Amino acid sequence: MSFTTTPQAEALAAAQLALAPREQETLRHIAAGRTYLQTARHMGLSKHTVDAYLRRIRAKLGINSTAELTRLAISLGL
């Protein structure tokens, strides 16, 4: 039996491995429609830290918009 993966599945797996747990949590909150401030309060962080996490996520994955971040979060099951 042969297992093949699609390029999209491989990209998603790589994206999930690239993100630290707190980055994944931040992404989940933003994708759920929360603001930076709401996310920060829920996670016990400053909104500047949330912004830093999102900048790192964007840099790691080459994502430019919140819509792309949301699509990624949905694809990852966050």
Side-chain angles (χ1 to χ4, degrees), residues 24-35 38-39 42 54 66 69-71 73-74 78:
Q24 290 183 26
E25 183 179 356
T26 303
L27 180 57
R28 184 172 57 248
H29 288 293
I30 296 302
R34 292 187 178 95
T35 65
Q38 290 169 330
T39 299
H42 190 270
L54 291 171
T66 302
L69 284 174
T70 302
R71 187 180 66 211
I74 291 167
L78 299 176

Side-chain angles (χ1 to χ4, degrees), residues 3-23:
F3 291 103
T4 59
T5 58
T6 65
Q8 183 181 15
E10 289 177 10
L12 288 175
Q16 195 156 22
L17 289 174
L19 299 179
R22 291 294 268 183
E23 292 170 341

Side-chain angles (χ1 to χ4, degrees), residues 38-58:
Q38 290 169 330
T39 299
R41 286 181 178 161
H42 190 270
M43 294 177 67
L45 305 169
S46 75
K47 67 179 182 176
H48 299 288
T49 303
V50 170
D51 181 56
Y53 283 160
L54 291 171
R55 279 187 277 118
R56 278 195 299 207
I57 293 167
R58 285 184 172 109

